[in-house]
Amino acid sequence: MPPAPPPPDGQSGRAAPAGTAARVLELVASGAVSSRADLVRELGLAASTVSARVQELVDQGLLTEDGEGTSRGGRRPRLLRIPDEGAVALAADLGSHHMRLGAVSLTGNAFDTEEHALDLTEGPAATLGVLTTRLAELAARQRSAGRTVRGVGVGFPGPVDTAGGQVVAPSRMPGWHLYPLRDRLAEQLGLPVLVDNDANVMALGEHRATHPGLHHLVLVKAGRGIGSGVISHGRLYRGAGGAAGDISHVRVEAAAERPCSCGNIGCLETVASGAALVAALRERGLPVGGAADVLRLVQDGDPQATTLVRQAGRHIGTVLSVVVNFFNPQAVVLGGALAEAEPLVAAVRGMLYERCLPVTTSELVITASATGADAGLLGAGHAALRELAAVPPPAGPAGSAAHSPTPDLPSPAPSTPGRETAP
C-alpha cells in the first residue's frame, strides 16, 4: 500500500475545528492549560494553528499573555490568562413573571445582577420593550466601566428553536409561537444574541461553575413548571429534535386524568410543579401566590405545604429514576425555587435510591444547585461568550453583528424546537 499522506498543518492529523477559539478560551478559563504549548498538547493541533488562534484572542482582548511558566527543557513559556476586566456577555434568565439580568465575564463570574417584573403572558409586543430597555441600560454600565460587551445570552421558559432563535408553541404564553426573539433583540440592541431554553442554560451554568470535572449530569428545574437540561460527555445535549430532557410531560400514575397545559392528561407537571402546588394549597385555604410562597410555608414548618412538597419530590424522583437508570449520570442537580425546600430534595434522593440500580447510584451525586438563582445567568452568559468568541465585537449600539453565528455549543444533531419549562 502507498504510504499515508502527511498530516495537515505539519503536525496533527486533525484540522482546526471552527470552534477552536472558543475551546481555547474554555481551557484557559478552567485552568486546564496555561500556555500555548499546553494548548498544542491538549488540542492535538499544530503549534502554528494554536498560535494563530491565541493571537486572535489576544488582539481582541479576550486573552492576555504575560509572566513566565516553568521550562520543560526549552524557553520558559509565557502564561495565558483571562483578563479580570474586559469582555463580558449580557445574560437574561426569563421567567413567566420575572426576569433576572446580569453581566458574565470570561472567568465565569456573574455581577451587576438585578431582578425585575416581566409578564411574558402579555405577549412579545408588551414585554420586549421592557427587556431591551433593561439590557441596554446594563450594556451602557458595562461600557462605562471599560468592558467590551460581546453579546447577549437569553434563557427563555419555553420551547426554543436554537438554530432559528425562535420561541416555539409555549403553553400559557399566547402570541409567542414562532416569535423571532433572537433577531428582534439583536436588531434593537445592535449585539449578537443567543436564545435557548431556560433549563438548558441552567444546566450549562451549574456544570461549569460547580461540576466542571463531571461528564454526565442532569439538572432539573423545579419552579412554576418543571424542566431539565442534560450534559453528556461534558457538553449540552439537546437530542435529535431538541427535546432531550423533557420530563415535565411524562405521565405519572398520581396525576390520574388531570388535564395539562400541553393538551394531554396525567403529566408530571400537574402534580409536582410550583403551579400545581399553589393551586392545591389555595384549595386548602392557604394564601399563596407563587412558588416563593410555597417555599416560605415549608420553611415555616406548615404541615400541609411540607406534605405536598414532599409528595412532589416523590413524583419527580419516580420519573428521574427511569432517567438515571437509562442515562447513568454522575450527578442529578435540583434547581429552581422549589429546590430550596429540603423535603423535596430529600424525597427525590430517597426515590432514586429506592428505585434505581445500585450501580447507577453508588457514586451518584444528588444535590441542590450550588449557584442558585444565578445558574441561568451563568449558563446564558457562558454560552454567548463561547459562541461569540471568534466574532469581532460590534462597533457600537448600531453595530452590524446582528445575529448569532452557527452555534458552537453542540448537540449531535441540528437543534430544532425544544421543550417547555417555567420558572
Side-chain angles (χ1 to χ4, degrees):
M1 294 180 62
D9 290 335
Q11 275 190 17
S12 170
R14 295 166 55 193
T20 299
R23 182 64 175 149
V24 167
L25 284 178
E26 183 176 4
L27 288 169
V28 175
S30 68
V33 303
S34 60
S35 68
R36 298 190 187 205
D38 290 345
L39 285 167
V40 169
R41 286 189 291 271
E42 182 69 25
L43 297 174
L45 298 174
S48 59
T49 301
V50 169
S51 291
R53 297 296 181 272
V54 168
Q55 193 58 52
E56 290 171 2
L57 295 170
V58 169
D59 291 344
Q60 293 178 39
L62 300 176
L63 278 181
T64 61
E65 196 171 25
D66 52 28
E68 293 185 336
T70 303
S71 172
R72 298 189 180 183
R75 290 188 303 173
R76 300 177 70 179
R78 298 184 67 191
L79 297 178
L80 297 169
R81 67 177 180 85
I82 302 293
D84 295 330
E85 300 289 340
V88 299
L90 309 183
D93 185 15
L94 306 183
S96 58
H97 291 84
H98 79 283
M99 62 178 170
R100 184 171 177 82
L101 309 177
V104 177
S105 68
L106 284 162
T107 53
N109 297 316
F111 55 94
D112 203 358
T113 60
E114 57 190 24
E115 288 203 25
H116 303 281
L118 182 72
D119 190 352
L120 293 177
T121 64
E122 294 182 355
T127 59
L128 191 65
V130 177
L131 178 59
T132 54
T133 296
R134 296 295 186 183
L135 285 170
E137 292 171 350
L138 180 60
R141 292 199 298 273
Q142 305 317 304
R143 293 182 180 119
S144 66
R147 305 183 186 104
T148 300
V149 179
R150 304 290 303 185
V152 182
V154 178
F156 187 88
V160 173
D161 172 4
T162 54
Q166 295 179 322
V167 178
V168 182
S171 58
R172 301 187 303 274
M173 295 182 192
W176 283 98
H177 179 52
L178 296 183
Y179 185 77
L181 181 58
R182 182 194 67 192
D183 293 349
R184 293 292 180 268
L185 284 174
E187 290 166 2
Q188 296 192 33
L189 295 171
L191 289 166
V193 175
L194 173 149
V195 180
D196 204 339
N197 173 263
D198 60 345
N200 277 349
V201 297
M202 283 186 67
L204 284 171
E206 186 71 19
H207 177 252
R208 186 177 187 225
T210 310
H211 305 285
L214 301 184
H215 299 291
H216 309 287
L217 175 148
V218 174
L219 178 135
V220 176
K221 182 177 182 180
R224 181 176 176 83
I226 300 174
S228 71
V230 178
I231 300 294
S232 178
H233 292 88
R235 312 183 82 174
L236 178 65
Y237 178 74
R238 295 189 180 96
D246 185 359
I247 66 170
S248 184
H249 301 292
V250 172
R251 186 163 185 174
V252 294
E253 184 177 350
E257 301 297 312
R258 295 176 187 238
C260 181
S261 60
C262 72
N264 212 328
I265 58 173
C267 296
L268 175 65
E269 179 177 297
T270 65
V271 291
S273 66
L277 295 178
V278 167
L281 289 169
R282 284 177 177 171
E283 290 175 359
R284 290 163 171 77
L286 292 174
V288 291
D293 292 330
V294 176
L295 179 62
R296 175 181 51 78
L297 288 172
V298 172
Q299 292 171 338
D300 289 343
D302 181 88
Q304 296 186 82
T306 301
T307 297
L308 286 173
V309 165
R310 187 175 290 116
Q311 289 175 348
R314 291 195 187 102
H315 300 324
I316 294 171
T318 297
V319 173
L320 278 180
S321 66
V322 179
V323 175
V324 169
N325 276 336
F326 183 80
F327 179 51
N328 192 195
Q330 294 164 291
V332 171
V333 180
L334 302 172
L338 294 180
E340 297 181 39
E342 179 55 31
L344 182 136
V345 178
V348 170
R349 184 180 290 115
M351 292 304 293
L352 292 181
Y353 284 133
E354 175 185 332
R355 297 198 172 206
C356 293
L357 295 170
V359 69
T360 64
T361 57
S362 60
E363 298 184 10
L364 179 66
V365 175
I366 308 168
T367 184
S369 168
T371 53
D374 284 342
L377 290 184
L378 292 171
H382 169 60
L385 285 168
R386 178 174 175 175
E387 292 198 15
L388 304 174
V391 179
S400 59
H403 303 290
S404 64
T406 301
D408 185 47
L409 283 172
S411 58
S415 296
T416 47
R419 75 275 184 205
E420 181 177 2
T421 62

